[in-house]
Amino acid sequence: MEKEMLQLQQYISIHPVIDIKEKFRIAYISLLKYICEKHSKQDQWSQSMILLMKEQMMLTRDFLHLEIDEKNRIKEQGKVSILLKYKLHKYRYNILTDCLFISAFNDKQKGKEILNDMCCLYPRSAKELTRLFDCFYKVDNEIIKNRYISLYDIFSIIDKNRKFLSIPEKRIMITANMSAGKSTLLNALAGKKVNKTQNDTCTAKIHYLLNKAGEDTFSYELDHDLELNATYEILMDDNEDNISSEIVVGTRFRSLSEIENRVCFIDTPGVNSSQNKEHKELTNEVISDDNCDLLIFLLNGENIGSDDDAKHLRYVAENYHGDIIFLINKLDKFKKDIDSVSETLKNAHDDLMKMGYNDPKVYPISAYAAYLAKMVIYGEKLTEDEEDDLNFRKRKLSKEEFQYYRYYDVEAPLIDETKEDEVLLRNSGILSLEKIIY
């Protein structure tokens, strides 16, 4: 399956079939299943899409046994159903659109086979079905507006998906030693908890986190199985059947402004795992490959300058030759008049220069403050401990020394100064970081 499919936005929430009688809604999805399985039975995306539509529109009800016979009649349980074909006639354009989206989004030849089936099923609409088919692969808004107005919003999303996939993908690798806060940073960039912590006991995997074309409330995960409505539990647990070294998650990234970039974050395992040397080997292999546009090296401000950091930094200096940003996380617990954010940044810069990095870009970040702020802004519920942590960071990062955006060499992002959560998001440094990497 093409990974780029995990960047597609769904249109299920605006599907007109949601509002029809249950028995015809079930028949509609069952007919989609029959047509799509005929043309892409083993395709992982197609199978998962049918299950997603069943889950969203049929709930716990079972599929009907529908088929189309050699005379292009719809049969239910082996019996011809003239009523069913007549009732579904109204949705013939939706059926074609859904089947193309499910089974032939990037395969026009397969799409023609589906079109042929639909033209045989509804021969009097063959001309209009063919015109709609052409619009699916090259959206013409005027034609959709004038001839298929009920499909206009759906085709707006299809068009948005195609334009999004035409944007060159920016690949950003994040590397760190364990406990630097890498998973928290990725969750902060996504604006939701989708990235699992890679600790000593887990299998070494490279996690790919993809931005989707638009928000549809669904997070996808490809971890041997493809889940198009991955729950928190699914996102946080490894699938034991996955013998590959990859896990891919697709979700819509959240921030104060829409992130329209096509982005892939590459999350590598911590390299200083005491129990599993495979983590280090896999991460080093990916770094040496250089197949990314930017590398973010995350350092733990509470343990900066460790031997583990020095070893990994030297490896990166010798084996990676692209653009790098260095972030220092977890400075929130620095004590006034004892620790200094600016001195820590300067010392890190000087040490990196000695290791061979040419004028390294070093910035502070509070990944946890950014994550908490975005969770609140987007209405996600916090635990009692997270509420306490949020209030502590609001106070801490209100002090000028801990307003991390001030240390970035980009203009401060605009926010609503009357909203505490937006102020915290800016002070955490995440908005400035996003401005640089996007």
Side-chain angles (χ1 to χ4, degrees):
M1 191 199 75
E2 299 172 2
K3 288 178 186 173
E4 69 177 19
M5 298 295 285
L6 301 187
Q7 294 177 303
L8 297 184
Q9 178 185 354
Q10 297 287 336
Y11 55 78
I12 292 176
S13 64
I14 59 171
H15 203 295
V17 173
I18 290 175
D19 298 321
I20 68 175
K21 288 184 178 179
E22 184 183 54
K23 63 179 180 180
F24 294 119
R25 191 167 67 245
I26 293 170
Y28 181 95
I29 304 300
S30 299
L31 182 60
L32 291 185
K33 179 176 183 288
Y34 171 80
I35 296 172
C36 291
E37 285 187 347
K38 177 181 176 182
H39 296 283
S40 52
K41 188 173 181 64
Q42 302 303 318
D43 181 76
Q44 200 171 21
W45 170 265
S46 182
Q47 290 177 325
S48 298
M49 274 298 307
I50 291 294
L51 291 176
L52 179 66
M53 296 191 79
K54 178 182 186 295
E55 170 195 302
Q56 297 297 308
M57 296 189 191
M58 293 171 53
L59 302 178
T60 59
R61 298 297 298 274
D62 293 329
F63 290 112
L64 299 179
H65 180 67
L66 296 186
E67 59 182 332
I68 302 171
D69 69 10
E70 68 281 356
K71 294 182 179 180
N72 294 301
R73 300 174 300 185
I74 294 178
K75 285 186 172 182
E76 180 183 352
Q77 303 293 358
K79 295 181 180 180
V80 175
S81 177
I82 297 173
L83 175 64
L84 200 53
K85 183 173 180 178
Y86 170 75
K87 286 289 187 180
L88 293 180
H89 175 269
K90 179 182 177 181
Y91 300 100
R92 61 201 182 281
Y93 302 135
N94 289 97
I95 294 171
L96 175 61
T97 301
D98 289 347
C99 287
L100 294 175
F101 187 82
I102 292 168
S103 293
F105 187 83
N106 285 328
D107 190 340
K108 196 170 183 179
Q109 187 57 45
K110 186 187 291 185
K112 287 180 179 178
E113 297 171 7
I114 294 171
L115 172 64
N116 182 64
D117 282 358
M118 287 299 299
C119 289
C120 290
L121 185 61
Y122 295 109
R124 292 183 180 180
S125 301
K127 186 175 180 180
E128 291 298 328
L129 287 165
T130 301
R131 185 181 282 114
L132 184 66
F133 169 84
D134 291 335
C135 283
F136 182 86
Y137 290 100
K138 188 176 182 181
V139 176
D140 187 322
N141 288 322
E142 286 304 309
I143 291 178
I144 298 298
K145 190 181 295 183
N146 293 330
R147 307 190 77 93
Y148 315 94
I149 188 62
S150 64
L151 286 169
Y152 186 78
D153 289 341
I154 287 174
F155 267 75
S156 294
I157 292 175
I158 291 170
D159 188 35
K160 184 179 181 181
N161 280 325
R162 293 208 181 279
K163 287 176 178 175
F164 188 75
L165 292 186
S166 71
I167 300 170
E169 183 179 73
K170 187 167 187 177
R171 295 167 62 85
I172 302 171
M173 188 187 308
I174 302 183
T175 190
N177 280 306
M178 293 179 61
S179 301
K182 184 158 50 64
S183 292
T184 304
L185 175 62
L186 283 159
N187 288 328
L189 288 164
K192 57 188 80 168
K193 193 163 188 178
V194 291
N195 200 68
K196 62 195 76 176
T197 303
Q198 301 198 49
N199 55 34
D200 270 354
T201 59
C202 71
T203 306
K205 301 282 184 186
I206 302 297
H207 289 193
Y208 297 89
L209 183 58
L210 309 176
N211 189 27
K212 286 170 58 175
E215 183 60 81
D216 55 16
T217 72
F218 298 113
S219 290
Y220 308 153
E221 184 183 62
L222 177 59
D223 185 8
H224 183 270
D225 300 322
L226 175 59
E227 298 282 352
L228 296 184
N229 187 16
T231 62
Y232 174 79
E233 289 73 24
I234 289 171
L235 289 166
M236 293 302 117
D237 289 334
D238 282 335
N239 187 337
E240 294 179 356
D241 293 330
N242 185 2
I243 59 173
S244 78
S245 61
E246 298 182 356
I247 296 173
V248 187
V249 171
T251 195
R252 180 64 175 176
F253 296 172
R254 296 165 167 173
S255 194
L256 290 188
S257 57
E258 289 293 322
I259 300 168
E260 302 297 352
N261 305 66
R262 191 161 164 243
V263 180
C264 171
F265 286 112
I266 305 168
D267 177 20
T268 58
V271 297
N272 60 334
S273 170
S274 61
Q275 297 179 20
N276 198 335
K277 300 304 179 186
E278 185 185 357
H279 287 204
K280 180 177 180 178
E281 293 170 4
L282 183 59
T283 296
N284 287 348
E285 180 182 330
V286 175
I287 289 171
S288 300
D289 186 43
D290 270 10
N291 187 23
C292 68
D293 302 290
L294 174 69
L295 186 144
I296 295 176
F297 197 119
L298 188 66
L299 296 157
N300 183 350
E302 293 184 297
N303 191 31
I304 197 164
S306 68
D307 289 342
D308 287 334
D309 277 344
K311 289 176 184 176
H312 192 38
L313 284 165
R314 289 193 185 97
Y315 181 87
V316 171
E318 293 170 4
N319 294 277
Y320 179 80
H321 307 292
D323 293 333
I324 304 180
I325 290 176
F326 298 91
L327 297 179
I328 303 182
N329 191 26
K330 300 187 179 183
L331 300 174
D332 308 350
K333 294 183 180 179
F334 273 20
K335 304 294 184 183
K336 186 175 177 61
D337 300 327
I338 298 176
D339 307 299
S340 167
V341 173
S342 57
E343 285 185 16
T344 299
L345 295 173
K346 182 182 183 304
N347 291 338
H349 177 276
D350 293 346
D351 289 343
L352 290 167
M353 289 282 286
K354 292 174 185 176
M355 289 184 183
Y357 292 99
N358 182 29
D359 192 23
K361 301 294 184 183
V362 187
Y363 306 111
I365 193 84
S366 177
Y368 190 40
Y371 165 72
L372 293 173
K374 283 193 181 182
M375 290 287 278
V376 172
I377 289 169
Y378 284 95
E380 303 286 354
K381 187 172 179 58
L382 300 184
T383 66
E384 189 174 327
D385 287 341
E386 286 175 334
E387 289 280 3
D388 292 340
D389 293 337
L390 175 68
N391 291 327
F392 166 76
R393 280 164 177 78
K394 281 181 180 179
R395 294 192 302 273
K396 187 74 173 185
L397 272 62
S398 68
K399 300 171 183 176
E400 187 171 332
E401 182 182 4
F402 295 94
Q403 294 173 3
Y404 297 137
Y405 76 94
R406 296 181 181 278
Y407 299 91
Y408 286 73
D409 48 9
V410 295
E411 187 177 350
L414 296 175
I415 63 162
D416 186 341
E417 297 283 354
T418 66
K419 296 181 178 179
E420 286 187 341
D421 300 312
E422 288 193 20
V423 172
L424 177 62
L425 197 61
R426 178 197 61 189
N427 291 351
S428 73
I430 196 79
L431 297 180
S432 298
L433 174 65
E434 290 174 348
K435 197 168 184 179
I436 291 171
I437 64 179
Y438 295 142

